[in-house]
């Protein structure tokens, strides 16, 4: 059991291949676009209260709310393959791997909370916890970005002290959280698409260099 866990962590620490990263980035883009664009388009429908009343109206609203929540779950789960794609793009081994594992686990908090909320409809499991819960859930993505940055960013890995590493990671996490807050819901799928393009261009450039030999390399 210990050997298997160690092998799994070692595999997680190594950067994914470019093909794996490209597939992960495209998967993340699709999940996010479906969750934040397609699902709301299909399920946000006006309810004609003159024809639908009472229990039928309540069921209609509840069904729409549950669909929108599950769409958000799909979109937020898209951050998991996005992290894999970013790791492939950076191409550095995670050090320590526990930080990267923590980033993946933190990314699951928000979708799991929304699944619980969807199941509880027409009630709520999050509302009784207080008004700060949405902000805490929003912050989880920034925390995950900070953990991942501390693990794989060269600037963080080369920091001369744990304090400077924490500053670098905290800065990345803050930028990610602010970007998601300010430019939601499209910043995440656009970012995933950008990572996919970068991986595709890098793979294409490497292929050209190999084909041209030393003359094709700068």
């Amino acid at each position: 059991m210990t050997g298997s866990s160690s092998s799994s962590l070692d595999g997680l620490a190594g950067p994914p291949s470019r093909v794996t990263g490209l597939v992960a980035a495209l998967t993340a883009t699709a999940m996010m676009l479906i969750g934040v664009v397609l699902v709301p388009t299909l399920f946000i429908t006006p309810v004609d209260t003159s024809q639908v009343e009472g229990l039928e109206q309540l069921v209609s609203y509840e069904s729409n709310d549950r669909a929108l929540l599950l769409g958000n779950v799909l979109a937020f789960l898209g951050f998991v393959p996005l992290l894999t794609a970013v790791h492939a793009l950076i191409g550095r081994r995670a050090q320590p791997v526990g930080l990267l594992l923590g980033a993946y686990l933190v990314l699951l908090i928000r979708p799991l909370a929304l699944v619980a909320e969807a199941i509880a409809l027409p009630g709520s499991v999050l509302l009784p916890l207080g008004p700060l819960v949405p902000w805490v859930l929003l912050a989880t993505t920034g925390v995950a970005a900070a953990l991942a940055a501390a693990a794989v960013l060269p600037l963080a890995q080369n920091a001369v002290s744990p304090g400077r590493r924490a500053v670098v990671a905290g800065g990345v996490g803050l930028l990610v959280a602010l970007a998601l807050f300010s430019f939601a819901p499209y910043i995440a799928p656009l970012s995933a698409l950008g990572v996919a393009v970068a991986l595709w261009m890098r793979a294409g450039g490497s292929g050209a260099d190999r084909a041209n030999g030393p003359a094709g390399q700068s």
Side-chain angles (χ1 to χ4, degrees), residues 13-161:
S17 67
R18 289 171 183 168
V19 173
T20 300
L22 180 58
V23 171
L26 293 175
T27 300
T29 303
M31 292 173 68
M32 292 174 178
L33 287 177
I34 292 172
V36 302
V37 177
L38 182 60
V39 170
T41 301
L42 293 176
F43 288 95
I44 294 184
T45 54
V47 177
D48 187 351
T49 56
S50 63
Q51 298 180 6
V52 181
E53 298 180 354
L55 181 59
E56 291 184 6
Q57 182 177 347
L58 176 62
V59 170
S60 178
Y61 278 125
E62 181 183 334
S63 177
N64 286 351
D65 287 344
R66 181 171 284 114
L68 293 175
L69 281 172
L70 294 178
N72 283 330
V73 168
L74 180 65
F76 291 134
L77 283 175
F79 282 101
V80 174
L82 177 56
L83 178 54
T84 300
V86 171
H87 190 191
L89 182 62
I90 294 173
R92 294 285 289 255
R93 187 174 181 82
Q95 297 176 352
V97 66
L99 292 177
L100 184 61
L101 177 61
Y104 278 108
L105 293 177
V106 170
L107 285 177
L108 296 178
I109 293 176
R110 199 171 182 183
L112 288 176
L114 293 183
V115 167
E117 186 75 356
I119 294 174
L121 285 174
S124 173
V125 296
L126 299 179
L127 191 60
L129 300 179
L132 295 180
V133 171
W135 299 101
V136 172
L137 293 178
L138 176 64
T140 57
T141 309
V143 171
L147 291 172
V152 302
L153 272 188
L155 185 61
Q157 290 183 350
N158 297 333
V160 296
S161 69

Side-chain angles (χ1 to χ4, degrees), residues 170-214:
V172 171
L174 183 60
L175 286 175
V176 169
L178 289 176
L180 291 174
F181 174 74
S182 303
F183 303 104
Y186 298 109
I187 184 66
L190 287 176
S191 299
L193 185 60
V195 172
V197 171
L199 286 165
W200 177 77
M201 292 180 65
R202 177 180 291 182
S206 297
D209 289 344
R210 287 193 298 268
N212 295 331

